[in-house]
Amino acid sequence: MFVITGATGRLGRFVVEGLLKKVPANQVAVAVRNPDKAAEWAARGVQVRQADYSRPETWVGVFSKGDTALLISSSEVGQRRKQHPTVVDAAKKAGVKLLAYTSILHADTSRMILAGEHLFTEEAIRASGLPFVFLRHGWYLENHTEAAKRTLEQGVLRGCAKDGRVAPATRQDYADAAVAVLTGTGHENQVYELAGDTGFTLAEYTAELSRQSGRTVTYQDLPPADFAAALQQAGLPKGYADVLANSDEGIARGDLNDTSRTLSRLIGRPTTTLAEALVSALTEFAVK
């Protein structure tokens, strides 16, 4: 079986749909907190197993010996050190054949706040003795494009990334890589640094947004503390604002840039470009 955790999330849905194009539905199982959200898959023959990252008892029987599993990281930042070992322990007890994990780009060297929980999970998986694959994701292009409408309305994008380059890819790109690894061979105990083919600065992002929209948008670089304060003034909780500011600092250092093109090699095609993603996003805004 191919077992996908967190399958009804924004990344997981792409992974499951990708798997269903390559293997029979009865070979796919999803571990989800709310089975109702997976009802459509159940109707297509996918096995739906209820499991909650925060409830260890729910993971009994989720995995079986010989399964190929993908642990999609929990969306609850700050809780992953408690939640992820639950899944790793269950996979180890069951004897899965391979445990893949969606980590963060350069997890072992990044100084981003977000990297700590991912590196902790990687170390827990290594300690389990299970064959593993670490899919170290860079930023999502959607982090930028989904905020494009608000950026256009404000006419300015604020941040503290300086002239650092970020190399995002779409969730579909990352999901395709996961499917390639799960259904392929020779990936055991590999660490893949996954990012978009071409990086850009936030100033280059606003230039492209301006070009495509016909409206002038500028990038305003702030000191990290001022950027975090601005985010709080916009209504974000302090902890979340601090994480976003810290992530921009990571961009400034190069933590979210990678030029290896490992992602495009895994998926067998170029990654989605910023220009392509913005065309899609602006078209969607116009429809709405």
Side-chain angles (χ1 to χ4, degrees), residues 19-267:
L19 273 176
L20 290 174
K21 293 176 182 177
K22 301 191 75 171
V23 301
N26 63 7
Q27 291 181 17
V28 179
V30 294
V32 298
R33 185 166 51 187
N34 183 355
D36 291 342
K37 292 183 177 180
E40 189 269 339
W41 286 330
R44 292 161 63 185
V46 173
Q47 293 188 26
V48 179
R49 302 168 181 176
Q50 187 171 16
D52 187 327
Y53 287 140
S54 297
R55 298 172 57 203
E57 71 277 7
T58 64
W59 290 90
V60 176
V62 168
F63 303 110
S64 297
K65 186 176 179 60
D67 285 347
T68 298
L70 173 65
L71 167 55
I72 294 179
S73 61
S74 165
S75 61
E76 296 179 82
V77 176
Q79 298 299 313
R80 293 165 174 163
R81 292 175 190 266
K82 295 180 180 179
Q83 295 173 332
H84 290 172
T86 292
V87 184
V88 176
D89 289 346
K92 179 180 179 179
K93 289 177 181 177
V96 303
K97 180 173 65 176
L98 181 73
L99 179 60
Y101 171 63
T102 60
S103 187
I104 195 170
L105 194 64
H106 307 308
D108 54 342
T109 59
S110 174
R111 287 186 282 157
M112 290 172 56
I113 291 172
L114 293 173
E117 291 180 313
H118 287 295
L119 185 58
F120 172 86
T121 304
E122 288 187 7
E123 291 171 347
I125 293 172
R126 287 183 187 274
S128 75
L130 290 170
F132 64 84
V133 182
F134 297 149
L135 302 169
R136 290 179 170 173
H137 291 184
W139 234 218
Y140 294 123
L141 261 173
E142 290 90 343
N143 291 349
H144 302 282
T145 59
E146 289 174 358
K149 185 176 182 180
R150 182 174 66 251
T151 302
L152 285 171
E153 291 170 349
Q154 296 176 345
V156 62
L157 174 67
R158 296 180 178 87
C160 58
K162 299 182 180 179
D163 59 355
R165 304 189 74 79
V166 58
T170 62
R171 289 187 177 90
Q172 183 70 69
D173 292 335
Y174 292 120
D176 287 350
V179 172
V181 165
L182 294 173
T183 60
T185 58
H187 300 291
E188 292 82 359
N189 302 327
Q190 296 298 307
V191 178
Y192 293 126
E193 305 288 356
L194 305 180
D197 289 342
T198 305
F200 53 84
T201 67
L202 295 189
E204 289 171 343
Y205 165 75
T206 54
E208 180 64 22
L209 179 57
S210 297
R211 186 187 72 80
Q212 290 202 26
S213 67
R215 299 167 63 177
T216 300
V217 182
T218 59
Y219 172 62
Q220 181 184 10
D221 199 72
L222 302 171
D226 291 353
F227 179 44
L231 292 172
Q232 290 181 66
Q233 290 172 4
L236 294 184
K238 183 181 185 304
Y240 186 35
D242 289 344
V243 167
L244 291 181
N246 175 265
S247 297
D248 261 25
E249 290 183 275
I251 293 175
R253 291 190 299 266
D255 291 348
L256 289 173
N257 191 34
D258 186 84
T259 59
S260 68
R261 298 204 169 195
T262 302
L263 177 54
S264 58
R265 286 199 296 273
L266 276 177
I267 63 181

Side-chain angles (χ1 to χ4, degrees), residues 7-19:
T8 54
R10 302 177 74 184
L11 174 67
R13 288 190 172 277
F14 286 119
V15 174
V16 175
E17 289 300 327
L19 273 176

